[in-house]
Amino acid sequence: VHLVVINPNTTASMTALIGKSARAVAAAGTTVTAVTPQMGPASIESHYDEALSVPGLLAEIARAQAADPPADGFVVACFGDPGLDAARELADGPVVGIAEAAMHAASFLGRGFTVVTTLARTAGRAWDLAERYGMTRFCRAVRACEIPVLALEDPGSDAFAAIVAESRAAVADDGAEAIVLGCAGMADLAARMTAAVGVPVIDGVAAATKIVEGLVAMGLRKSGHGEFAAPLPKPYTGLLSEFEIGKPDIC
Ligand code: 5HY
């Protein structure tokens, strides 16, 4: 099984962290390719960042889909699940976002979860995704540590302590029985945090990797019938002309 795990932002060190988290849980027969888009924002922490991350993400989906053989499945490794539906139109294999995966995994482990994320301005997006995924009955709160995404990489930042503090408050005050980490950049913290917080702490990169791997092992692919069928060919102008369906790399 070959999985392509795409970091929709363009910070290669985060892609490396994401790849390490995915490989840590992948089965022996699974190959994980972690990919950084060739264009897009260094981090995604606004609607503008998210919108501008989608072309680069889709180009990587198309590239892996056009490969011989095509990738078996895909992970969108950003907590906003950017471009998820469009990616599903381009891919034949399953495509799962880390927010979707982490929320579902948490719902199997406790009565409710709290999302602990980066900037408060991204909390609305987390709620929108919980609503979309039918997870509002499980989502107790979305707590922000007010840490910019790229500061998570800074060993001098007090990111770990802040995330643990918010997680402990979630258990004490929100009725959270599990914690969902709201950023792919937190992927390396999950194992350490479960001991520190006392409830399951879920890294969406690992959760999405195992869900996609499982779907592939079940012989299941994206449904090409209906909403996620391939896009209809038509002209795209300007910078987006390379995205015309049928052009090389754009399946
Ligand atoms: C992520 N941003 O997982 C999100 C987290 C966030 O660049 N990778 C990013 O703050 O929404």
Side-chain angles (χ1 to χ4, degrees), residues 9 14 43-45 77-80 98 117-119 122 149 182-185:
N9 76 41
M14 245 181 99
S43 66
I44 299 164
E45 45 198 9
C78 169
F79 200 77
I98 67 170
T117 192
T118 53
L119 298 181
T122 69
V149 171
C183 182

Side-chain angles (χ1 to χ4, degrees), residues 124-192:
R125 175 71 177 163
W127 277 113
D128 290 346
L129 291 175
E131 173 74 28
R132 164 164 171 200
Y133 300 139
M135 286 284 139
T136 45
R137 62 192 289 265
F138 291 101
C139 187
R140 295 287 177 270
V142 177
R143 287 175 172 265
C145 302
E146 266 329 284
I147 299 167
V149 171
L150 296 182
L152 290 168
E153 309 242 311
D154 171 6
S157 83
D158 60 356
F160 183 73
I163 295 166
V164 167
E166 284 299 332
S167 301
R168 285 178 171 151
V171 173
D173 304 333
D174 304 343
E177 298 172 6
I179 297 296
V180 166
L181 295 178
C183 182
M186 299 178 182
D188 58 334
L189 306 181
R192 274 194 286 157

Side-chain angles (χ1 to χ4, degrees), residues 18-200:
I18 287 163
K20 185 178 176 194
S21 175
R23 290 186 188 101
V25 297
T30 295
T31 305
V32 171
T33 302
V35 172
T36 308
Q38 293 176 359
M39 56 179 165
S43 66
I44 299 164
E45 45 198 9
S46 68
H47 294 294
Y48 187 79
D49 293 341
E50 186 149 341
L52 292 178
S53 74
V54 174
L57 166 85
L58 293 179
E60 297 310 323
I61 297 274
R63 195 186 323 278
Q65 176 61 41
D68 182 15
D72 294 300
F74 302 84
V75 169
V76 176
C78 169
F79 200 77
D81 292 354
L84 182 61
D85 292 335
R88 287 174 172 163
E89 292 178 347
L90 294 184
D92 288 339
V95 186
V96 173
I98 67 170
E100 181 178 31
M103 288 181 184
H104 280 85
S107 73
F108 302 145
L109 304 173
R111 182 70 191 178
F113 62 80
T114 288
V115 175
V116 176
T117 192
T118 53
L119 298 181
R121 66 180 295 165
T122 69
R125 175 71 177 163
W127 277 113
D128 290 346
L129 291 175
E131 173 74 28
R132 164 164 171 200
Y133 300 139
M135 286 284 139
T136 45
R137 62 192 289 265
F138 291 101
C139 187
R140 295 287 177 270
V142 177
R143 287 175 172 265
C145 302
E146 266 329 284
I147 299 167
V149 171
L150 296 182
L152 290 168
E153 309 242 311
D154 171 6
S157 83
D158 60 356
F160 183 73
I163 295 166
V164 167
E166 284 299 332
S167 301
R168 285 178 171 151
V171 173
D173 304 333
D174 304 343
E177 298 172 6
I179 297 296
V180 166
L181 295 178
C183 182
M186 299 178 182
D188 58 334
L189 306 181
R192 274 194 286 157
M193 282 187 59
T194 297
V197 180
V199 300

